[in-house]
Protein backbone atom coordinates (compact mmCIF):
# COMPACT_ATOMS: atom_id res chain seq x y z
CA UNK A 1 0.00 0.00 0.00
CA UNK A 2 2.61 2.54 0.99
CA UNK A 3 4.91 1.38 -1.81
CA UNK A 4 2.09 2.03 -4.25
CA UNK A 5 1.47 5.50 -2.80
CA UNK A 6 5.14 6.43 -3.05
CA UNK A 7 5.51 5.13 -6.62
CA UNK A 8 2.43 7.04 -7.66
CA UNK A 9 3.79 10.17 -5.97
CA UNK A 10 7.07 9.83 -7.86
CA UNK A 11 5.03 9.66 -11.06
CA UNK A 12 3.11 12.81 -10.12
CA UNK A 13 6.37 14.58 -9.32
CA UNK A 14 7.91 13.58 -12.64
CA UNK A 15 4.79 14.77 -14.49
CA UNK A 16 5.17 18.14 -12.78
CA UNK A 17 8.85 18.38 -13.70
CA UNK A 18 8.04 17.46 -17.31
CA UNK A 19 5.48 20.25 -17.48
CA UNK A 20 7.90 22.93 -16.27
CA UNK A 21 9.12 24.24 -19.65
CA UNK A 22 5.58 24.67 -21.01
CA UNK A 23 3.32 25.68 -18.16
CA UNK A 24 2.55 29.37 -17.57
CA UNK A 25 5.36 30.47 -15.27
CA UNK A 26 3.02 32.12 -12.80
CA UNK A 27 -0.21 30.30 -11.94
CA UNK A 28 -3.43 32.24 -12.33
CA UNK A 29 -5.12 31.42 -9.09
CA UNK A 30 -6.61 33.67 -6.52
CA UNK A 31 -5.80 33.21 -2.85
CA UNK A 32 -9.51 32.82 -2.09
CA UNK A 33 -9.74 29.88 -4.50
CA UNK A 34 -6.72 28.25 -2.89
CA UNK A 35 -8.10 28.69 0.60
CA UNK A 36 -11.39 27.24 -0.47
CA UNK A 37 -9.64 24.12 -1.73
CA UNK A 38 -7.01 23.69 0.98
CA UNK A 39 -8.31 25.12 4.24
CA UNK A 40 -10.80 22.47 5.36
CA UNK A 41 -12.00 21.42 8.79
CA UNK A 42 -9.41 19.11 10.32
CA UNK A 43 -11.08 15.73 9.85
CA UNK A 44 -12.05 13.83 12.98
CA UNK A 45 -10.83 10.58 11.50
CA UNK A 46 -7.97 10.41 9.02
CA UNK A 47 -8.54 10.43 5.28
CA UNK A 48 -7.20 7.98 2.75
CA UNK A 49 -3.50 8.79 2.08
CA UNK A 50 -3.84 8.35 -1.69
CA UNK A 51 -6.78 10.73 -1.81
CA UNK A 52 -4.93 13.34 0.27
CA UNK A 53 -1.83 13.15 -1.91
CA UNK A 54 -3.76 13.19 -5.21
CA UNK A 55 -5.65 16.26 -4.00
CA UNK A 56 -2.48 17.99 -2.84
CA UNK A 57 -0.65 17.18 -6.06
CA UNK A 58 -3.55 18.56 -8.07
CA UNK A 59 -4.24 21.77 -6.15
CA UNK A 60 -0.67 22.41 -5.00
CA UNK A 61 0.76 21.55 -8.39
CA UNK A 62 -1.61 23.87 -10.26
CA UNK A 63 -0.78 26.68 -7.84
CA UNK A 64 2.96 26.05 -7.97
CA UNK A 65 5.09 28.79 -9.53
CA UNK A 66 7.33 27.32 -12.23
CA UNK A 67 10.35 28.62 -10.35
CA UNK A 68 12.34 25.53 -11.13
CA UNK A 69 11.60 26.02 -14.83
CA UNK A 70 13.77 27.64 -17.51
CA UNK A 71 11.99 31.00 -17.88
CA UNK A 72 11.72 32.14 -14.29
CA UNK A 73 13.95 35.20 -14.00
CA UNK A 74 12.58 36.69 -10.77
CA UNK A 75 14.67 37.57 -7.69
CA UNK A 76 17.71 35.23 -7.69
CA UNK A 77 16.18 31.79 -7.55
CA UNK A 78 17.75 28.85 -9.40
CA UNK A 79 16.04 25.54 -10.10
CA UNK A 80 16.94 22.02 -9.10
CA UNK A 81 19.19 19.64 -10.96
CA UNK A 82 17.53 16.22 -11.41
CA UNK A 83 20.18 14.47 -9.29
CA UNK A 84 19.62 17.02 -6.53
CA UNK A 85 15.86 16.40 -6.57
CA UNK A 86 16.51 12.65 -6.44
CA UNK A 87 18.89 13.09 -3.50
CA UNK A 88 16.27 15.24 -1.80
CA UNK A 89 13.78 12.38 -2.08
CA UNK A 90 16.30 10.07 -0.44
CA UNK A 91 16.93 12.65 2.28
CA UNK A 92 13.25 12.65 3.23
CA UNK A 93 13.08 8.88 2.96
CA UNK A 94 16.06 8.27 5.23
CA UNK A 95 14.83 10.94 7.65
CA UNK A 96 18.15 11.35 9.40
CA UNK A 97 18.68 13.88 12.14
CA UNK A 98 21.81 15.59 10.91
CA UNK A 99 22.75 17.18 14.20
CA UNK A 100 24.97 14.41 15.47
CA UNK A 101 27.10 11.84 13.70
CA UNK A 102 25.34 9.02 15.56
CA UNK A 103 21.97 10.24 14.30
CA UNK A 104 23.05 10.06 10.65
CA UNK A 105 26.61 8.91 9.90
CA UNK A 106 26.39 9.30 6.12
CA UNK A 107 24.76 12.72 6.50
CA UNK A 108 27.72 13.88 8.56
CA UNK A 109 30.40 12.47 6.25
CA UNK A 110 28.69 13.80 3.11
CA UNK A 111 28.82 17.28 4.64
CA UNK A 112 32.56 16.87 5.16
CA UNK A 113 32.91 16.10 1.46
CA UNK A 114 30.72 19.04 0.40
CA UNK A 115 32.54 21.43 2.73
CA UNK A 116 35.95 20.39 1.45
CA UNK A 117 34.92 20.56 -2.22
CA UNK A 118 33.45 24.03 -1.89
CA UNK A 119 36.34 25.42 0.16
CA UNK A 120 38.54 24.27 -2.70
CA UNK A 121 36.24 25.53 -5.50
CA UNK A 122 35.94 28.96 -3.88
CA UNK A 123 39.63 29.21 -3.00
CA UNK A 124 39.00 29.68 0.74
CA UNK A 125 41.58 28.82 3.42
CA UNK A 126 41.74 24.99 3.53
CA UNK A 127 41.24 24.75 7.29
CA UNK A 128 38.09 26.92 7.32
CA UNK A 129 35.13 25.81 9.38
CA UNK A 130 31.86 25.35 7.52
CA UNK A 131 28.21 24.73 8.25
CA UNK A 132 25.25 23.84 6.06
CA UNK A 133 22.35 26.11 6.96
CA UNK A 134 18.92 26.93 5.57
CA UNK A 135 19.98 29.87 3.42
CA UNK A 136 22.19 32.90 3.18
CA UNK A 137 20.38 34.76 5.94
CA UNK A 138 21.31 32.02 8.41
CA UNK A 139 24.76 31.84 6.87
CA UNK A 140 25.15 35.54 7.74
CA UNK A 141 23.88 34.79 11.23
CA UNK A 142 26.43 32.00 11.67
CA UNK A 143 29.36 33.97 10.24
CA UNK A 144 28.53 37.14 12.16
CA UNK A 145 28.15 35.16 15.40
CA UNK A 146 31.72 33.97 14.80
CA UNK A 147 32.74 37.56 14.03
CA UNK A 148 31.14 38.79 17.25
CA UNK A 149 32.91 36.03 19.17
CA UNK A 150 36.29 36.89 17.69
CA UNK A 151 36.22 40.66 18.07
CA UNK A 152 34.95 40.48 21.65
CA UNK A 153 37.35 37.75 22.73
CA UNK A 154 40.16 40.08 21.68
CA UNK A 155 39.01 42.60 24.26
CA UNK A 156 38.57 39.99 26.96
CA UNK A 157 34.87 39.31 26.64
CA UNK A 158 33.14 36.02 25.81
CA UNK A 159 29.67 36.68 24.37
CA UNK A 160 28.86 32.96 24.38
CA UNK A 161 28.89 32.75 28.15
CA UNK A 162 28.55 36.39 29.18
CA UNK A 163 26.06 37.68 26.64
CA UNK A 164 26.22 41.25 25.41
CA UNK A 165 25.16 43.18 28.52
CA UNK A 166 28.11 45.29 29.59
CA UNK A 167 30.25 44.15 26.66
CA UNK A 168 32.49 46.61 24.81
CA UNK A 169 30.55 48.06 21.87
CA UNK A 170 31.08 46.41 18.51
CA UNK A 171 31.21 48.69 15.47
CA UNK A 172 29.70 47.26 12.28
CA UNK A 173 30.40 48.66 8.83
CA UNK A 174 28.21 47.80 5.82
CA UNK A 175 27.88 49.05 2.27
CA UNK A 176 24.90 51.20 1.31
CA UNK A 177 23.77 48.35 -0.94
CA UNK A 178 24.02 45.57 1.68
CA UNK A 179 21.30 42.94 1.30
CA UNK A 180 18.42 43.17 3.79
CA UNK A 181 19.23 39.71 5.21
CA UNK A 182 22.56 41.01 6.46
CA UNK A 183 20.70 43.61 8.51
CA UNK A 184 18.33 40.90 9.73
CA UNK A 185 21.27 38.80 10.92
CA UNK A 186 22.61 41.84 12.83
CA UNK A 187 19.14 42.26 14.30
CA UNK A 188 19.12 38.66 15.61
CA UNK A 189 22.63 38.92 17.01
CA UNK A 190 21.98 41.93 19.22
CA UNK A 191 24.22 44.09 17.05
CA UNK A 192 21.38 46.30 15.87
CA UNK A 193 19.96 46.51 12.40
CA UNK A 194 20.31 50.28 12.16
CA UNK A 195 23.34 50.74 14.43
CA UNK A 196 25.74 50.43 11.50
CA UNK A 197 28.20 52.67 9.69
CA UNK A 198 27.18 52.87 6.05
CA UNK A 199 29.78 53.19 3.30
CA UNK A 200 28.60 54.96 0.11
CA UNK A 201 28.42 52.96 -3.13
CA UNK A 202 29.02 53.83 -6.77
CA UNK A 203 26.75 53.65 -9.81
CA UNK A 204 26.94 49.85 -9.92
CA UNK A 205 26.36 49.42 -6.18
CA UNK A 206 30.00 48.77 -5.22
CA UNK A 207 31.40 50.36 -2.05
CA UNK A 208 33.78 53.25 -2.59
CA UNK A 209 37.21 52.56 -1.10
CA UNK A 210 37.71 56.21 -0.14
CA UNK A 211 34.39 56.08 1.70
CA UNK A 212 35.43 52.90 3.48
CA UNK A 213 38.71 54.48 4.61
CA UNK A 214 36.89 57.59 5.86
CA UNK A 215 34.33 55.49 7.71
CA UNK A 216 37.06 53.50 9.46
CA UNK A 217 38.97 56.68 10.35
CA UNK A 218 35.94 57.89 12.28
CA UNK A 219 35.82 54.72 14.44
CA UNK A 220 38.10 54.60 17.53
CA UNK A 221 41.20 52.51 16.82
CA UNK A 222 40.60 50.06 19.67
CA UNK A 223 36.90 49.41 18.99
CA UNK A 224 35.91 45.82 18.13
CA UNK A 225 35.15 46.05 14.39
CA UNK A 226 33.25 43.99 11.82
CA UNK A 227 33.21 45.04 8.14
CA UNK A 228 30.73 43.46 5.73
CA UNK A 229 31.46 43.33 2.00
CA UNK A 230 29.33 42.12 -0.88
CA UNK A 231 30.16 39.79 -3.77
CA UNK A 232 27.19 40.03 -6.12
CA UNK A 233 24.73 42.90 -5.80
CA UNK A 234 21.19 41.59 -5.99
CA UNK A 235 20.26 44.19 -8.64
CA UNK A 236 23.37 44.68 -10.76
CA UNK A 237 25.41 41.56 -9.91
CA UNK A 238 28.40 43.83 -9.25
CA UNK A 239 31.15 43.16 -6.70
CA UNK A 240 32.71 45.35 -4.04
CA UNK A 241 36.42 45.90 -4.73
CA UNK A 242 37.26 43.08 -2.35
CA UNK A 243 41.07 43.06 -2.35
CA UNK A 244 41.31 46.82 -1.91
CA UNK A 245 38.67 46.83 0.81
CA UNK A 246 40.34 44.05 2.78
CA UNK A 247 43.70 45.84 2.54
CA UNK A 248 42.12 48.91 4.12
CA UNK A 249 40.41 46.92 6.88
CA UNK A 250 43.62 45.00 7.69
CA UNK A 251 45.25 48.21 8.87
CA UNK A 252 43.05 47.68 11.93
CA UNK A 253 44.35 44.81 13.97
CA UNK A 254 41.71 42.24 14.86
CA UNK A 255 39.02 43.63 12.56
CA UNK A 256 36.79 41.00 10.95
CA UNK A 257 35.80 40.96 7.26
CA UNK A 258 32.62 39.15 6.30
CA UNK A 259 31.51 38.64 2.68
CA UNK A 260 27.93 38.25 1.44
CA UNK A 261 28.41 35.98 -1.56
CA UNK A 262 24.88 34.56 -1.75
CA UNK A 263 25.31 33.99 -5.47
CA UNK A 264 28.44 36.01 -6.29
CA UNK A 265 30.81 33.66 -4.45
CA UNK A 266 30.17 31.14 -7.23
CA UNK A 267 32.14 33.40 -9.58
CA UNK A 268 35.18 32.01 -7.78
CA UNK A 269 34.47 28.63 -9.39
CA UNK A 270 34.93 30.07 -12.89
CA UNK A 271 38.33 31.00 -14.37
CA UNK A 272 36.47 33.49 -16.58
CA UNK A 273 34.88 35.29 -13.62
CA UNK A 274 37.29 34.72 -10.77
CA UNK A 275 38.82 38.18 -11.25
CA UNK A 276 35.58 39.64 -9.89
CA UNK A 277 36.30 38.13 -6.46
CA UNK A 278 40.01 38.89 -6.43
CA UNK A 279 41.30 38.76 -2.86
CA UNK A 280 38.21 37.07 -1.45
CA UNK A 281 40.20 34.32 0.27
CA UNK A 282 41.70 36.99 2.56
CA UNK A 283 38.37 37.61 4.32
CA UNK A 284 37.37 36.00 7.63
CA UNK A 285 33.95 34.62 6.77
CA UNK A 286 31.79 33.97 3.72
CA UNK A 287 28.07 33.34 3.36
CA UNK A 288 26.55 31.76 0.27
CA UNK A 289 23.57 29.82 -1.05
CA UNK A 290 23.35 26.46 -2.75
CA UNK A 291 19.63 26.79 -3.51
CA UNK A 292 20.34 29.65 -5.89
CA UNK A 293 23.19 29.05 -8.29
CA UNK A 294 24.13 25.47 -7.44
CA UNK A 295 20.53 24.58 -8.34
CA UNK A 296 19.60 22.34 -5.44
CA UNK A 297 16.15 22.39 -3.80
CA UNK A 298 15.36 24.64 -0.85
CA UNK A 299 16.59 25.07 1.77
CA UNK A 300 20.31 25.19 1.37
CA UNK A 301 22.93 27.73 2.34
CA UNK A 302 26.53 27.61 3.56
CA UNK A 303 28.61 29.47 6.12
CA UNK A 304 32.41 29.39 5.99
CA UNK A 305 34.70 30.78 8.69
CA UNK A 306 38.48 30.94 8.25
CA UNK A 307 39.11 30.45 11.98
CA UNK A 308 37.38 27.12 12.58
CA UNK A 309 38.00 27.29 16.33
CA UNK A 310 36.20 30.60 16.75
CA UNK A 311 33.40 29.30 14.48
CA UNK A 312 32.82 26.33 16.79
CA UNK A 313 33.11 28.43 19.96
CA UNK A 314 30.36 30.69 18.62
CA UNK A 315 28.04 27.92 17.45
CA UNK A 316 28.55 24.78 19.53
CA UNK A 317 26.05 24.06 22.30
CA UNK A 318 27.42 23.61 25.85
CA UNK A 319 29.69 20.56 26.23
CA UNK A 320 29.89 19.97 22.49
CA UNK A 321 32.62 22.37 21.53
CA UNK A 322 35.25 19.95 20.32
CA UNK A 323 36.32 20.41 16.77
CA UNK A 324 39.12 17.99 16.15
CA UNK A 325 37.65 15.44 13.82
CA UNK A 326 40.33 13.41 12.19
CA UNK A 327 40.14 9.95 10.67
CA UNK A 328 39.23 8.60 14.11
CA UNK A 329 36.77 11.27 15.11
CA UNK A 330 33.29 12.09 13.95
CA UNK A 331 31.96 15.49 12.92
CA UNK A 332 28.86 16.51 14.84
CA UNK A 333 27.06 19.13 12.78
CA UNK A 334 25.61 20.88 15.88
CA UNK A 335 28.98 22.48 16.53
CA UNK A 336 28.85 24.49 13.29
CA UNK A 337 25.28 25.68 12.79
CA UNK A 338 22.53 27.39 14.81
CA UNK A 339 20.21 24.37 14.68
CA UNK A 340 20.21 21.28 16.88
CA UNK A 341 17.94 18.78 15.10
CA UNK A 342 18.09 19.43 11.39
CA UNK A 343 17.56 18.09 7.89
CA UNK A 344 20.43 16.24 6.26
CA UNK A 345 20.79 18.90 3.62
CA UNK A 346 24.24 17.77 2.51
CA UNK A 347 22.91 15.02 0.26
CA UNK A 348 21.47 17.35 -2.39
CA UNK A 349 24.67 19.39 -2.63
CA UNK A 350 26.71 16.21 -2.73
CA UNK A 351 24.68 14.86 -5.64
CA UNK A 352 24.72 18.18 -7.48
CA UNK A 353 28.48 18.65 -7.13
CA UNK A 354 29.37 15.08 -8.05
CA UNK A 355 27.16 15.04 -11.13
CA UNK A 356 28.43 18.43 -12.29
CA UNK A 357 32.08 18.07 -11.39
CA UNK A 358 34.41 21.05 -11.38
CA UNK A 359 33.82 21.53 -15.09
CA UNK A 360 30.05 21.33 -14.80
CA UNK A 361 29.88 23.94 -12.04
CA UNK A 362 32.01 26.25 -14.13
CA UNK A 363 29.90 25.66 -17.26
CA UNK A 364 26.65 26.28 -15.37
CA UNK A 365 27.90 29.56 -13.88
CA UNK A 366 29.47 30.82 -17.10
CA UNK A 367 26.54 29.57 -19.19
CA UNK A 368 23.93 31.46 -17.19
CA UNK A 369 26.07 34.62 -17.37
CA UNK A 370 26.33 34.22 -21.15
CA UNK A 371 22.54 33.96 -21.36
CA UNK A 372 22.19 37.11 -19.26
CA UNK A 373 24.49 38.95 -21.70
CA UNK A 374 22.53 37.54 -24.65
CA UNK A 375 19.25 38.81 -23.21
CA UNK A 376 20.77 42.21 -22.43
CA UNK A 377 22.09 42.48 -25.99
CA UNK A 378 18.78 41.39 -27.52
CA UNK A 379 16.84 43.93 -25.48
CA UNK A 380 19.33 46.76 -26.01
CA UNK A 381 18.84 46.55 -29.79
CA UNK A 382 15.23 47.70 -29.51
CA UNK A 383 14.24 51.36 -29.50
CA UNK A 384 13.36 52.83 -26.14
CA UNK A 385 15.12 50.07 -24.19
CA UNK A 386 18.08 50.82 -21.98
CA UNK A 387 20.26 48.44 -19.96
CA UNK A 388 21.07 50.21 -16.70
CA UNK A 389 23.93 48.07 -15.41
CA UNK A 390 27.21 46.64 -16.61
CA UNK A 391 26.25 43.00 -17.09
CA UNK A 392 29.26 41.51 -15.28
CA UNK A 393 27.41 38.47 -13.97
CA UNK A 394 23.89 37.04 -14.32
CA UNK A 395 21.83 40.13 -13.45
CA UNK A 396 20.32 42.61 -15.92
CA UNK A 397 18.45 45.85 -15.18
CA UNK A 398 16.23 47.16 -17.98
CA UNK A 399 14.35 50.40 -18.42
CA UNK A 400 11.72 51.26 -21.01
CA UNK A 401 10.86 54.67 -22.44
CA UNK A 402 7.52 54.97 -24.25
CA UNK A 403 7.58 55.95 -27.95
CA UNK A 404 5.92 59.29 -27.16
CA UNK A 405 8.75 60.07 -24.71
CA UNK A 406 6.39 59.90 -21.73
CA UNK A 407 6.98 58.75 -18.15
CA UNK A 408 9.62 55.99 -18.26
CA UNK A 409 9.04 54.92 -14.64
CA UNK A 410 5.35 54.33 -15.18
CA UNK A 411 5.97 52.69 -18.55
CA UNK A 412 8.64 50.35 -17.17
CA UNK A 413 6.27 49.23 -14.43
CA UNK A 414 3.55 48.73 -17.03
CA UNK A 415 5.82 46.58 -19.21
CA UNK A 416 6.69 44.44 -16.17
CA UNK A 417 2.98 44.02 -15.42
CA UNK A 418 2.27 42.97 -19.01
CA UNK A 419 5.16 40.49 -19.00
CA UNK A 420 3.90 38.96 -15.77
CA UNK A 421 0.44 38.64 -17.27
CA UNK A 422 1.72 37.25 -20.58
CA UNK A 423 3.00 34.10 -18.84
CA UNK A 424 5.92 33.27 -21.18
CA UNK A 425 8.37 34.18 -18.44
CA UNK A 426 8.33 35.75 -15.03
CA UNK A 427 10.41 38.54 -13.60
CA UNK A 428 9.84 41.47 -11.32
CA UNK A 429 10.82 45.08 -10.93
CA UNK A 430 13.05 47.07 -8.68
CA UNK A 431 14.01 50.62 -8.04
CA UNK A 432 17.55 51.47 -9.04
CA UNK A 433 18.92 54.91 -8.12
CA UNK A 434 15.39 56.21 -7.95
CA UNK A 435 14.42 54.78 -11.35
CA UNK A 436 11.95 51.98 -11.99
CA UNK A 437 13.70 49.01 -13.59
CA UNK A 438 12.93 45.52 -14.78
CA UNK A 439 15.15 42.94 -13.14
CA UNK A 440 16.35 39.79 -14.91
CA UNK A 441 18.26 37.11 -13.03
CA UNK A 442 19.52 34.07 -14.94
CA UNK A 443 20.27 31.39 -12.36
CA UNK A 444 18.65 28.22 -13.65
CA UNK A 445 20.63 25.26 -15.00
CA UNK A 446 17.95 24.48 -17.59
CA UNK A 447 17.58 27.88 -19.28
CA UNK A 448 18.56 27.60 -22.95
CA UNK A 449 19.38 30.21 -25.58
CA UNK A 450 15.96 29.45 -27.09
CA UNK A 451 14.34 30.28 -23.72
CA UNK A 452 16.33 33.50 -23.62
CA UNK A 453 15.28 34.48 -27.16
CA UNK A 454 11.62 33.61 -26.59
CA UNK A 455 11.72 35.67 -23.41
CA UNK A 456 13.31 38.70 -25.08
CA UNK A 457 10.70 38.47 -27.81
CA UNK A 458 7.89 38.31 -25.24
CA UNK A 459 9.32 41.31 -23.33
CA UNK A 460 9.60 43.40 -26.51
CA UNK A 461 6.11 42.37 -27.58
CA UNK A 462 4.80 43.60 -24.21
CA UNK A 463 6.76 46.84 -24.57
CA UNK A 464 5.15 47.46 -27.96
CA UNK A 465 1.76 47.13 -26.33
C1 LIG B 1 19.31 35.90 -1.80
C2 LIG B 1 20.33 36.74 -1.14
C3 LIG B 1 20.48 36.72 0.25
C4 LIG B 1 19.56 35.92 1.14
O1 LIG B 1 19.64 34.55 0.91
P1 LIG B 1 18.53 33.55 1.45
O2 LIG B 1 19.03 32.24 1.00
O3 LIG B 1 17.25 33.96 0.79
O4 LIG B 1 18.46 33.68 2.93
C5 LIG B 1 21.50 37.47 0.79
N1 LIG B 1 22.30 38.22 0.03
C6 LIG B 1 22.17 38.29 -1.31
C7 LIG B 1 23.12 39.14 -2.10
C8 LIG B 1 21.18 37.54 -1.94
O5 LIG B 1 21.06 37.58 -3.27
Amino acid sequence: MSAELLRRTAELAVDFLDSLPDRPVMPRQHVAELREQLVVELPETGEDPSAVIEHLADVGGRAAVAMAGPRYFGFVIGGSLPAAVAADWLTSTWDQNAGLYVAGPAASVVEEAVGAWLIDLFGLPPTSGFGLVTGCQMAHFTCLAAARQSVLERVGWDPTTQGLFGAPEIQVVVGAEAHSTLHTALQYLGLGRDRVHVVPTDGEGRIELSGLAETLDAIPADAPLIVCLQAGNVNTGSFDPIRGAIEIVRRREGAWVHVDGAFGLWAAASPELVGLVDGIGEADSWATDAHKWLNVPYDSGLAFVADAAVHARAMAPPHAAYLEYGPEQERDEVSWVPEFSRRARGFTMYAALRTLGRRGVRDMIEGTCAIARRMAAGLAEADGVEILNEVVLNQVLVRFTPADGGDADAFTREVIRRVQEDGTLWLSGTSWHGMAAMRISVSNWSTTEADADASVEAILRCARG
Side-chain angles (χ1 to χ4, degrees), residues 32-41 55-60 63:
E33 262 178 87
L34 269 179
R35 287 190 183 126
E36 200 179 295
Q37 295 170 87
L38 294 173
V39 186
V40 298
E41 286 272 314
H55 176 250
L56 197 56
D58 175 37
V59 179

Side-chain angles (χ1 to χ4, degrees), residues 131 133-149 160 164 179-192 226 228 256 258-260 285-289 301-305 310-311 314-316 334 336-340:
V133 291
T134 50
C136 198
Q137 175 161 304
M138 287 315 288
H140 288 324
F141 177 87
T142 305
C143 292
L144 293 171
R148 185 180 71 171
Q149 187 75 27
T160 291
L164 289 178
H179 195 268
S180 66
T181 54
L182 189 90
H183 293 269
T184 315
L186 294 171
Q187 164 189 340
Y188 295 162
L189 286 162
L191 297 176
I226 300 171
C228 302
W256 186 281
H258 170 65
V259 181
D260 178 352
S285 60
W286 306 263
T288 194
D289 269 321
L302 294 123
F304 299 95
V305 179
V310 89
H311 180 179
M315 277 296 126
V334 289
W336 308 94
V337 293
E339 301 101 344
F340 195 60

Side-chain angles (χ1 to χ4, degrees), residues 359-444:
R359 183 78 221 190
V361 172
R362 170 186 173 173
D363 288 348
M364 184 166 72
I365 301 305
E366 290 175 0
T368 39
C369 291
I371 286 179
R373 290 193 299 272
R374 184 184 180 95
M375 290 179 73
L379 289 165
E381 272 175 23
D383 286 341
V385 182
E386 188 190 351
I387 305 300
L388 296 180
N389 65 317
E390 293 171 23
V391 184
V392 295
L393 204 66
N394 61 334
Q395 306 289 120
V396 186
L397 294 178
V398 198
R399 185 167 165 86
F400 298 86
T401 306
D404 64 7
D407 182 347
D409 282 331
F411 186 60
T412 298
R413 282 191 285 265
E414 171 61 14
V415 176
I416 294 167
R417 195 195 59 77
R418 289 179 199 161
V419 169
Q420 290 179 344
E421 203 172 275
D422 174 80
T424 308
L425 67 147
W426 200 87
L427 44 65
S428 64
T430 188
S431 168
W432 184 244
H433 294 171
M435 291 181 287
M438 170 185 280
R439 220 175 138 279
I440 298 173
S441 173
V442 189
S443 322
N444 191 299

Side-chain angles (χ1 to χ4, degrees), residues 6-233:
L6 294 175
R7 286 210 179 85
R8 170 68 183 144
T9 307
E11 217 175 274
L12 291 167
V14 172
D15 288 349
F16 176 81
L17 291 175
D18 282 345
S19 77
L20 276 176
D22 305 314
R23 61 168 47 220
V25 181
M26 188 59 75
R28 297 192 177 87
Q29 225 166 8
H30 197 268
V31 62
E33 262 178 87
L34 269 179
R35 287 190 183 126
E36 200 179 295
Q37 295 170 87
L38 294 173
V39 186
V40 298
E41 286 272 314
L42 180 64
E44 196 53 43
T45 53
E47 295 173 23
D48 173 49
S50 295
V52 172
I53 293 302
E54 293 284 350
H55 176 250
L56 197 56
D58 175 37
V59 179
R62 272 189 285 119
V65 178
M67 271 192 172
R71 290 185 310 283
Y72 187 90
F73 302 104
F75 311 101
V76 183
I77 291 289
S80 290
L81 293 155
V85 176
D88 202 47
W89 291 355
L90 290 177
T91 305
S92 294
T93 308
W94 291 331
D95 196 20
Q96 305 287 283
N97 183 340
L100 299 171
Y101 176 87
V102 292
S108 164
V109 172
V110 146
E111 289 195 12
E112 288 178 30
V114 167
W117 288 341
L118 290 177
I119 283 169
D120 179 44
L121 268 185
F122 296 148
L124 307 183
T127 56
S128 296
F130 63 90
L132 276 57
V133 291
T134 50
C136 198
Q137 175 161 304
M138 287 315 288
H140 288 324
F141 177 87
T142 305
C143 292
L144 293 171
R148 185 180 71 171
Q149 187 75 27
S150 172
V151 299
L152 285 181
E153 280 180 357
R154 294 183 62 88
V155 291
W157 192 274
D158 177 13
T160 291
T161 53
Q162 295 173 274
L164 289 178
F165 300 105
E169 271 197 37
I170 299 174
Q171 304 299 320
V172 180
V173 173
V174 304
E177 282 283 329
H179 195 268
S180 66
T181 54
L182 189 90
H183 293 269
T184 315
L186 294 171
Q187 164 189 340
Y188 295 162
L189 286 162
L191 297 176
R193 200 167 62 186
D194 298 337
R195 211 188 123 282
V196 289
H197 305 268
V198 179
V199 179
T201 46
D202 68 12
E204 297 292 319
R206 304 171 290 217
I207 59 160
E208 287 170 355
L209 291 178
S210 56
L212 174 64
E214 276 165 32
T215 304
L216 295 191
D217 283 346
I219 297 173
D222 56 350
L225 176 65
I226 300 171
V227 177
C228 302
L229 303 177
Q230 182 163 258
N233 177 288

